[in-house]
Amino acid sequence: MEAKDMYGEEWEEAVPFWKKVDDILEGVNALRKHCDEYLPQFPAEHPDVYEDRVKAATFYNAYRDTLDSISGLMFRRPPTLGEDVPAKIEPDLENCDLQGTHWVVFSQAMFRERVHHGYCAVAVDAPSTPVENRAQEIALGRRPYWILYEAPAIVNFRFVPINQKRQLQMIVFKECASIPTGGMGAFMEWEERDLYRVWEIPVFYESADRI
């Protein structure tokens, strides 16, 4: 399957919206960079005059202030773990993504992304290498971890009826990875490439509503 076939209609329709809110969040520099969209040149305006007008344009980023305020208000009191959370996984939540992120900080980023782009996704993955016991799991770091995907990285998804309920059956995440292309040691050459992670529940579509 080619990369272009990975993208769903919902993603393509949302791209212009995401671009606009990203530009607004970045501020006046982004708006000046894309001045043809946000500050178009008048038909009879001289190029030098237009350039000066773009450079002099100002923008008060009330959107960023509002986003920060909403996020801060939601977490004005740090969330706590419920009594149903197993005690043995509590230490893992101090570093929930294996990148040193506390679960509260992770939750703040998740909430902010949900407000900014409209939605997001959290995938829980784990290394496939089996371990014999908890001690070995801790020593090798072989435990489940969280991955936050921003909305633009969720390029496709599909819901189907399963057990007479509408459930997520397929989702595609776009990731960017650095791939070595040549050289050695300090002279190693790298290339940024887009990768697609597909999570799918096998379903016989003819009888999906009866599964």
Side-chain angles (χ1 to χ4, degrees):
M1 181 179 293
E2 298 183 8
K4 63 181 180 63
D5 298 325
M6 292 289 185
Y7 297 83
E9 294 182 2
E10 294 86 353
W11 184 90
E12 295 177 350
E13 292 174 355
V15 167
F17 164 78
W18 291 329
K19 180 183 181 304
K20 181 175 293 185
V21 295
D22 285 344
D23 288 344
I24 293 174
L25 184 63
E26 183 176 343
V28 66
N29 290 333
L31 300 183
R32 288 172 179 168
K33 181 180 178 181
H34 304 288
C35 57
D36 55 326
E37 299 179 39
Y38 304 112
L39 196 65
Q41 184 176 5
F42 299 133
E45 188 174 21
H46 191 277
D48 292 341
V49 175
Y50 175 62
E51 183 178 354
D52 290 340
R53 182 161 65 91
V54 171
K55 291 180 179 179
T58 59
F59 174 71
Y60 172 65
N61 205 327
Y63 174 75
R64 182 169 54 200
D65 291 345
T66 302
L67 183 59
D68 290 341
S69 297
I70 293 175
S71 301
L73 182 63
M74 177 60 66
F75 289 88
R76 68 188 186 280
R77 296 180 180 176
T80 58
L81 297 175
E83 296 180 356
D84 57 339
V85 176
K88 66 179 182 180
I89 73 169
E90 289 187 15
D92 296 344
L93 299 179
E94 299 292 324
N95 179 14
C96 64
D97 60 355
L98 294 183
Q99 298 185 47
T101 307
H102 191 276
W103 73 273
V104 173
V105 177
F106 188 97
S107 300
Q108 291 173 333
M110 179 178 63
F111 177 81
R112 184 183 177 87
E113 170 62 16
R114 170 66 178 83
V115 175
H116 178 52
H117 281 137
Y119 60 90
C120 63
V122 176
V124 180
D125 201 0
S128 58
T129 305
V131 293
E132 297 180 358
N133 51 55
R134 176 65 172 169
Q136 189 181 60
E137 180 183 270
I138 295 174
L140 298 176
R142 302 290 185 179
R143 65 171 177 83
Y145 59 94
W146 303 358
I147 308 171
L148 175 61
Y149 289 97
E150 298 182 353
I154 308 170
V155 301
N156 206 348
F157 54 86
R158 178 170 58 238
F159 286 85
V160 299
I162 300 178
N163 292 330
Q164 300 181 355
K165 294 181 180 180
R166 185 173 180 267
Q167 298 188 30
L168 182 65
Q169 183 266 331
M170 183 273 293
I171 189 167
V172 181
F173 298 118
K174 179 181 177 181
E175 301 177 354
C176 184
S178 297
I179 307 297
T181 58
M184 297 182 63
F187 301 97
M188 180 74 74
E189 299 177 356
W190 300 83
E191 179 182 347
E192 297 291 326
R193 295 183 183 177
D194 291 333
L195 304 178
Y196 298 88
R197 185 190 295 247
V198 181
W199 303 62
E200 187 172 15
I201 300 175
V203 169
F204 295 101
Y205 296 101
E206 296 81 358
S207 58
D209 59 341
R210 297 192 297 273
I211 292 177

